[in-house]
């Protein structure tokens, strides 16, 4: 562990963490116990039960070990002059996918492979902070570089066993174990300490330990495929906003592939799949100093809001029927919508309430 690097894993905003509390209420397990008979005919079955259990346990352990053996060589450590995180080898050309908050403002990086050897130089291809994803590229990729296999995350199911692989707290090539606790989560990360403040949809929630330094690594199933990129750890306000044990989140692999492919092919994200209004906004408060909407600071020319007639100085109070009180609530609502959707946007202009039909653009 290097004392000059700060391991990175963003923390879920406290309000978003509270949304996940219900997942903890639906946890349970069952255990079947066989009956023991006194007749000799029953003895073989009684004797076979421990053997079957041992065989099942050995098979599961073998699955764990095979997943580690087959995927861990694809998980790397990404370092800048001040920060440390993880990444996943995306292809044999030296492209590595990681989190945008891991790369931060850096343009060059040092990459350490799990298989050892000298540290490799890498440069930024592009970062997409709105989705907290980035791609960096090795300057001289080794011939034995091993790309990971990314799964179809739409097939991920609650309860399946997963392994989180990365470099938590600078402890290189570490593996933790858990299950998929939920899918389809929409969560928001903080923007303090280098965070992007992104609101990300369709995330995979896991009980596998996600610690600082795991960001950008791999959440892996027992078919040796990456199902997500660990990104967030929930926070608990009752613990002083420290990490809430057993509640972590990963960007689903299908989203990772879609964004990474665009960055590699075009050098940037050309189709985010995320809805946008084409505005720059700031929060406003009412006479009681309570959040009361978001004021438009600037409107993108020919953007969705501009085409619908919204102007700088307007205050947005509803989108698609959902109340908008803060910048975060606007971001969260837009994250549930798609480009091209036509929605009602309610706003005030010079104290008069107005509503416009807006065809959403892309973020």
């Amino acid at each position: 562990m290097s004392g000059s690097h700060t391991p990175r894993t963003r923390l879920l905003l406290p309000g978003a963490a509270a949304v996940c509390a219900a997942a903890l209420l639906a946890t349970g397990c069952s255990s079947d116990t066989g009956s023991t008979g006194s007749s000799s005919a029953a003895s073989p079955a009684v004797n076979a039960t421990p053997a079957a259990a041992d065989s099942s346990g050995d098979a599961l352990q073998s699955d764990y070990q095979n997943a580690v053996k087959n995927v861990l060589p694809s998980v790397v450590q990404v370092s800048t002059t001040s920060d440390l995180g993880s990444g996943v080898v995306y292809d044999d050309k030296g492209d590595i996918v990681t989190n945008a908050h891991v790369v931060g403002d850096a343009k060059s990086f040092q990459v350490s492979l799990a298989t050892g050897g000298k540290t490799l130089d890498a440069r930024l291809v592009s970062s997409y902070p709105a989705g907290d994803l980035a791609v960096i590229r090795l300057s001289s990729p080794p011939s034995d570089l091993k790309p990971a296999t990314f799964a179809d995350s739409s097939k991920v199911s609650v309860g399946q066993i997963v392994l989180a692989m990365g470099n938590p707290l600078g402890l290189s090539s570490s593996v933790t174990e858990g299950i998929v606790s939920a899918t389809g989560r929409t969560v928001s990360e903080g923007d303090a300490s280098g965070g992007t403040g992104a609101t990300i949809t369709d995330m995979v929630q896991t009980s596998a330990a996600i610690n600082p330094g795991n960001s950008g690594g791999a959440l892996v199933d027992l078919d040796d495929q990456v199902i997500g990129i660990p990104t967030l750890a929930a926070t608990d306000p009752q613990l002083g906003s420290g990490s809430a044990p057993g509640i972590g989140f990963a960007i689903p692999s299908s989203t990772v592939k879609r964004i990474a492919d665009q960055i590699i092919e075009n050098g940037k994200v050309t189709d985010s799949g995320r809805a946008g209004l084409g505005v720059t906004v700031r929060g406003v408060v009412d006479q009681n100093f309570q959040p009361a909407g978001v004021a438009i600071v600037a409107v993108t020319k020919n953007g969705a809001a501009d085409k619908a007639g919204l102007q700088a100085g307007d205050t947005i109070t509803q989108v698609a029927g959902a109340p908008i009180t803060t910048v975060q609530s606007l971001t969260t609502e837009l994250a549930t919508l798609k480009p091209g959707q036509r929605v009602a946007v309610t706003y005030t202009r010079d104290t008069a309430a107005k509503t416009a039909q807006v065809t959403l653009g892309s973020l």
Side-chain angles (χ1 to χ4, degrees):
M1 185 188 309
S2 173
S4 62
H5 296 283
T6 303
R8 305 295 292 276
T9 291
R10 296 270 53 83
L11 297 180
L12 182 69
L13 290 178
V19 175
C20 301
L24 300 180
L25 304 179
T27 302
C29 62
S30 62
S31 177
D32 294 329
T33 55
S35 59
T36 303
S38 59
S39 67
S40 59
S43 297
V46 173
N47 293 335
T49 300
D54 289 344
S55 176
S56 176
D58 289 344
L60 182 59
Q61 177 171 291
S62 179
D63 287 342
Y64 277 43
Q65 292 173 328
N66 285 335
V68 173
K69 177 182 178 181
N70 292 327
V71 185
L72 192 58
S74 303
V75 181
V76 304
Q77 179 172 293
V78 178
S79 303
T80 67
T81 55
S82 59
D83 298 320
L84 179 153
S86 303
V88 181
V89 178
Y90 194 74
D91 57 34
D92 57 10
K93 299 177 183 178
D95 292 309
I96 294 169
V97 65
T98 183
N99 284 133
H101 76 257
V102 169
V103 304
D105 296 327
K107 304 297 182 183
S108 60
F109 312 89
Q110 296 292 302
V111 174
S112 301
L113 303 180
T115 51
K118 66 177 183 180
T119 302
L120 304 174
D121 293 328
R123 62 178 178 81
L124 179 68
V125 178
S126 186
S127 178
Y128 179 58
D132 204 355
L133 288 170
V135 174
I136 65 175
R137 182 171 295 155
L138 296 175
S139 301
S140 299
S143 58
D144 60 348
L145 196 63
K146 185 177 180 181
T149 299
F150 285 77
D152 178 357
S153 54
S154 68
K155 298 180 180 178
V156 171
S157 58
V158 175
Q160 75 179 86
I161 296 172
V162 289
L163 304 175
M165 302 182 186
N167 306 281
L169 305 179
L171 298 170
S172 60
S173 302
S174 293
V175 181
T176 57
E177 174 267 344
I179 63 168
V180 173
S181 304
T183 59
R185 295 293 197 198
T186 296
V187 297
S188 299
E189 64 179 49
D191 56 5
S193 303
T196 68
T199 295
I200 308 172
T201 61
D202 205 30
M203 294 191 83
V204 178
Q205 182 182 331
T206 180
S207 62
I210 306 296
N211 290 296
N214 272 119
S215 286
L219 189 66
V220 181
D221 63 20
L222 296 188
D223 290 326
D224 309 341
Q225 296 185 328
V226 177
I227 66 167
I229 299 294
T231 301
L232 299 171
T235 61
D236 186 347
Q238 295 183 354
L239 296 177
S241 293
S243 295
I247 305 179
F249 299 90
I251 300 173
S253 52
S254 294
T255 298
V256 174
K257 290 168 61 179
R258 179 168 54 82
I259 297 301
D261 285 345
Q262 292 179 55
I263 290 176
I264 292 168
E265 181 177 353
N266 306 304
K268 62 180 181 179
V269 176
T270 56
D271 181 11
S272 67
R274 298 278 300 274
L277 277 173
V279 293
T280 301
V281 297
R282 62 175 177 81
V284 297
V285 297
D286 60 20
Q287 62 272 24
N288 297 316
F289 301 100
Q290 296 302 307
V294 294
I296 298 177
V297 176
V299 177
T300 303
K301 185 177 181 180
N302 294 321
D306 185 34
K307 290 179 180 179
L310 276 73
Q311 304 173 4
D314 294 343
T315 298
I316 298 172
T317 56
Q318 285 188 16
V319 172
I324 303 300
T325 56
T326 64
V327 174
Q328 185 60 53
S329 64
L330 175 61
T331 301
T332 300
E333 180 59 25
L334 289 174
T336 68
L337 304 171
K338 296 294 183 183
Q341 278 188 253
R342 190 171 174 82
V343 300
V345 175
T346 301
Y347 61 98
T348 58
R349 178 183 295 171
D350 298 329
T351 71
K354 299 177 179 291
T355 298
Q357 295 297 319
V358 180
T359 300
L360 297 172
S362 295
L363 185 64

